[in-house]
Structure formats: structure tokens, C-alpha cells
Amino acid sequence: MELLRPSDVAELDGGLFVAGGTEVVPLLRDGLIQADTLVDVRGIVPRGIDGTKVGAGTTLAELEANDRIPDALREACRLAASPQLRNMGSVAGNLLQSTRCWYWRLDFPCRLHGGETCHARAGEHREHAILGNDYCASAHPSDVAAALVALGATMRTTKRELTVADLYRLPTDDDRSLTTLEPGELILELDVPQPDTSVYLKAMERQRWSFPIVGVAAARNGDARTIVLAGAAPIPWVLDSPEALADATPLPGTAYKVEIAEALVRRALEAIV
Ligand SMILES: Cc1cc2nc3c(=O)[nH]c(=O)nc-3n(C[C@H](O)[C@H](O)[C@H](O)COP(=O)(O)OP(=O)(O)OC[C@H]3O[C@@H](n4cnc5c(N)ncnc54)[C@H](O)[C@@H]3O)c2cc1C
Ligand code: SF4
């Protein structure tokens, strides 16, 4: 395998991007992705925080430690993964991490792998989704993505500007991808507006080093409140109101997540009054 280290975006010509490598390396090792060329993007993706601008190469540890970063994002980073992973993992890499669905990770020929079946719906699905789960029942694992969507963050790539919310899409028969990122599109920078107040709450199996069973990011600007769930749908899920949880479509093994989400949403809204 070839490893490239470009020093200018103009040098990009295909290959698999790698930043911290905390996701790419295990996926390569397990044969879930293949690449002849790895492109280390750390020399071309900005890193660091300047006002509301956050370089896409900024690590979760750097976001967590910066008191100018909104509370919801700092807390989402603090509660993610482990200190070692937060030191290596970039914010862009976090947004693009793959599902933790065990069927997908074990390379079952499920819908996200191009097959005809969602094995989780009929099989083991305790950690899976309660919303938007008809086609694929995976639960989006990123705490950081939920916080950024709740904060109304936007991003700049080598091809366009978009909201972080618009980075995500539900998969269909025609397109199994969970993101709208095009091949070769590199995320360069995020803009994270400062809300009046924000919070991130997370239920997890252990107090540390655990993906969200349910995460709730909430932000308030004046009277406008935004609630976004992690671990509840195949993508970060914007909840129009707390009552919208009544429309959840849990699987037999994920009904408990609805109760957890209701409790966390209630607490999050109390915290941003
Ligand atoms: C054991 C474990 C526990 C974890 N727990 C949590 C958790 O609780 N909560 C949570 O939110 N996350 C969790 N994570 C995810 C972790 O935060 C991510 O693995 C990490 O942030 C990825 O960043 P990276 O720079 O290492 O990405 P990489 O592995 O380098 O890349 C990941 C993906 O992003 C692409 N990519 C990287 N940079 C760019 C860019 N600038 N533009 C376009 N594409 C790019 C790569 O091609 C690849 O597809 C966990 C991970 C592990 C391994
Ligand atoms: S939940 Fe999604 S990733 Fe998991 S088996 Fe079903 S289709 Fe595949």
C-alpha cells in the first residue's frame, strides 16, 4: 500500500483519506474497506480554533479543552471514546465514522453492504435505532455530530459549503451511503456558532469509553430550541419537539431507548432554560 503526504490540496488525486487513523486503520485491518493508496491529510486540513472557526483536523481533545467552544460540543467530546482516541481523532474523522452495527462490522451482506436484508431488524439489535430505522436500523455513533447539528454548525469542503445536518442522509436502495460526501471531497473547516446556551447529555453502558445508547444535544437561541439525538437513528436525528418521541418506531429490543431518550430530552431542556 502506498502512503501519500500531500502539502497542498491541489496535489489530491484519489486515494483513501486518513487523519488520526483511529477509524480507518481498524476498518482496513478487518478488510471492511480496501485501498491501494492512503492519503494522510494532516498536512492540508487546517487544525485549530479561531473564534467560531474550527479546522477539520482539530482533535476532540483540543475541542474539549477550549473554553470558547459551546458547552454541548465540549461535553460531547469529553464523553466520547477514551483520552488516547480523543488525542488522535479529528473532528472530521469523527463525523465520518462508520456504523458500529455488529452485523456491518462482521461483514454480513446487509443493506449497508449492498445486500437485500437488514440482519439487525430480525436479529440482535439491542444497541440499534428507534427512529428512521425502516431500511437500516443502525444507530449513529457520533456524539460530536449530534452536538454540531444542534448548534447549527456549517462546514466548508473542497467542493462546497453545507450545514453539518446536510452532511447526512438516510440510505435507500439507490444509494446506501449515510452521508452526502462525494468521492474525493475533503472537509476543511467548520463554523460553530455560539448559542445562548447548550448542553449534551449521554446515556452509556459504562461511564467511560462507550458509544451513546442515547445522546441528547440541545441548544437555545432566544426562544428557539434545537434537540438532536445520537445513537437513536442511522444519522444524527433532529427532534422537532419532545412529543415527537411518541412517533418512535423501536424494535422489540430497543424500546428501552425511547424511555431513556424521553428522560434525557426532558433534562436537557431543563438545562438550557
Ligand atoms: C474504541 C472507540 C470508541 C469510540 N467512542 C466514541 C464515542 O463514544 N463517541 C464518538 O462520537 N466517537 C467515538 N469514537 C470514534 C472516534 O471519535 C473516531 O474514530 C475519531 O474521531 C475519528 O477521527 P480520525 O481522525 O482518527 O479519523 P480517521 O480514522 O483518520 O478517518 C475516519 C474517516 O474520515 C475520513 N476523513 C478523515 N478526515 C477527513 C477530512 N478532513 N475530509 C474528508 N474525509 C475525512 C477518512 O477517510 C475515514 O473515512 C470511538 C472510536 C473508537 C475506536
Ligand atoms: S442495521 Fe444497517 S448496518 Fe446493521 S445490519 Fe441492518 S442494514 Fe446493516
Side-chain angles (χ1 to χ4, degrees):
M1 185 187 291
E2 184 184 31
L3 175 64
L4 302 180
R5 290 204 171 94
S7 53
D8 195 304
V9 170
E11 294 171 36
L12 289 179
D13 184 21
L16 173 65
F17 297 148
V18 58
T22 61
E23 170 79 340
V24 163
V25 173
L27 293 181
L28 283 169
R29 182 196 59 206
D30 295 344
L32 288 165
I33 54 174
Q34 290 81 32
D36 295 328
T37 306
L38 274 184
V39 183
D40 181 345
V41 296
R42 286 175 295 183
I44 51 175
V45 172
R47 175 173 175 176
I49 299 157
D50 181 9
T52 62
K53 303 288 182 197
V54 174
T58 307
T59 64
L60 303 195
E62 288 164 342
L63 289 168
E64 173 191 351
N66 191 305
D67 60 14
R68 284 167 298 171
I69 293 297
D71 289 344
L73 182 54
R74 288 185 73 184
E75 192 64 1
C77 291
R78 188 182 75 80
L79 292 172
S82 65
Q84 293 88 341
L85 286 160
R86 296 198 294 273
N87 270 321
M88 289 299 292
S90 64
V91 60
N94 181 286
L95 294 179
L96 297 172
Q97 62 182 291
S98 299
T99 176
R100 307 305 300 189
C101 171
W102 36 67
Y103 293 104
W104 189 88
R105 295 258 161 185
L106 290 169
D107 212 9
F108 275 60
C110 74
R111 284 183 175 146
L112 281 203
H113 279 309
E116 299 301 321
T117 312
C118 172
H119 299 279
R121 289 190 64 86
E124 292 295 325
H125 53 240
R126 187 175 177 279
E127 296 181 5
H128 286 69
I130 56 172
L131 291 153
N133 53 1
D134 188 36
Y135 189 79
C136 160
S138 63
H140 201 264
S142 171
D143 300 297
V144 176
L148 285 168
V149 174
L151 292 164
T154 56
M155 60 169 64
R156 181 170 62 83
T157 75
T158 42
K159 300 195 175 175
R160 58 189 168 142
E161 292 190 11
L162 68 161
T163 62
V164 175
D166 285 340
L167 178 64
Y168 298 103
R169 63 180 296 282
L170 286 172
T172 59
D173 264 339
D174 294 338
D175 184 349
R176 310 294 170 101
S177 176
L178 292 172
T179 78
T180 61
L181 212 68
E182 293 170 22
E185 184 174 9
L186 186 68
I187 303 175
L188 295 172
E189 190 177 65
L190 294 110
D191 190 282
V192 186
Q194 189 67 245
D196 290 345
T197 177
S198 68
V199 71
Y200 186 74
L201 302 177
K202 177 177 180 180
M204 39 187 166
E205 294 279 355
R206 302 177 295 270
Q207 284 298 308
R208 295 282 178 274
W209 200 359
S210 205
F211 288 96
I213 293 174
V214 177
V216 176
R220 182 177 63 75
N221 280 298
D223 291 336
R225 302 180 305 181
T226 311
I227 310 165
V228 182
L229 305 182
I235 57 176
W237 195 262
V238 179
L239 206 61
D240 292 335
S241 70
E243 294 72 37
L245 277 170
D247 299 328
T249 52
L251 303 172
T254 60
Y256 76 102
K257 281 195 174 193
V258 180
E259 287 179 41
I260 292 175
E262 285 168 347
L264 288 186
V265 166
R266 194 168 53 242
R267 284 188 219 165
L269 292 178
E270 285 167 6
I272 59 166
V273 167

